[in-house]
Amino acid sequence: MKKEYAVIGLGRFGGSICKELSKEGLEVLAIDLDEDKVNEYKEIASHAVIADSTDETVLRELGIRNIDHVIVAIGDNIQASLLTTVILEELGIKKITVKAQNDYHEKILSKIGADHVIHPERDMGKRIAHNIMSNNILDYIELSDDHSVVEVKAGNKMSGRSLVDLDIRAQYGCNVVAIKRDKDVIVSPMATEMIQEGDILIVIGADKDISRFEKNLVVEDD
Ligand code: ATP
């Protein structure tokens, strides 16, 4: 059976989740207090309803218990976000993802039963900071406090050399998991793969190892 989703709060964040899920042909129930927001999503989501998610009876009537994954994207009203999360947890929703407004909000959400807490502004801030620090870091995804995945531009020092020749795993302790070359993506490249000018490497590893790799092998483009 097709998985069903509900998005509560149709601001920029919730709205964009709702649009993407709907674009993929998934069943999405869009909920917001605001009539204009709901009207905006009438044509996009499978169902769009005006409702206050802090009202348990309303959520029950909407059949929220049949939804597999609920995304709570209420930003400013932290109290409403917390109360909604508690109600969803009590109703036995299998998967609850909640947008946190700040670190305190995140901490409480994790304690009251949110399965996944996201902090988009903070996470995007980190990604942009890494991109700003080095011209060659195109993207950065934090895996844990000390591990990440980065997208780096292969500089002059690498082009024309194979992965085995560069010896990245042994020398720097990180792994090249994919290479983007023009429109192609080479997943799990062979050790004999030759790096070409313009390649983008997707590298996974400990932050300290990635940093060493970047300083030694990735040449800054000014
Ligand atoms: P974003 O940064 O994602 O645009 P925002 O700051 O615009 O977020 P908020 O206004 O805090 O987001 O909330 C997002 C949406 O959640 C709003 O459209 C608001 O009407 C809706 N919302 C707030 N409280 C509730 C509630 N109790 N039930 C349903 N929707 C709610």
Side-chain angles (χ1 to χ4, degrees), residues 114-131:
D115 300 294
H116 187 203
V117 181
I118 26 185
H119 208 319
E121 287 88 357
R122 184 195 60 193
D123 296 346
M124 190 48 84
K126 280 191 187 176
R127 288 171 80 165
I128 303 285
H130 281 264
N131 182 231

Side-chain angles (χ1 to χ4, degrees), residues 3-5 19 28 33 38 40 54 99-100 107 120 122 124 174 177 202-203:
K3 232 174 151 186
E4 289 191 35
Y5 298 85
K19 282 182 188 153
V28 185
L33 274 178
V38 172
E40 203 184 315
T54 60
K99 174 191 167 182
K107 212 168 177 175
R122 184 195 60 193
M124 190 48 84
C174 34
V177 289
I202 319 283
V203 182

Side-chain angles (χ1 to χ4, degrees), residues 7-16 31-35 37 49-55 59 73-78 80-81 84 99 101 120-121:
V7 177
I8 301 176
L10 303 169
R12 282 164 304 179
F13 182 72
S16 124
I31 301 172
D32 202 294
L33 274 178
D34 185 303
E35 187 178 352
K37 292 261 169 66
V49 290
I50 306 167
D52 180 354
S53 61
T54 60
D55 187 332
L59 287 185
I74 300 171
D76 291 341
N77 190 342
I78 292 180
S81 158
T84 302
K99 174 191 167 182
Q101 200 70 351
E121 287 88 357

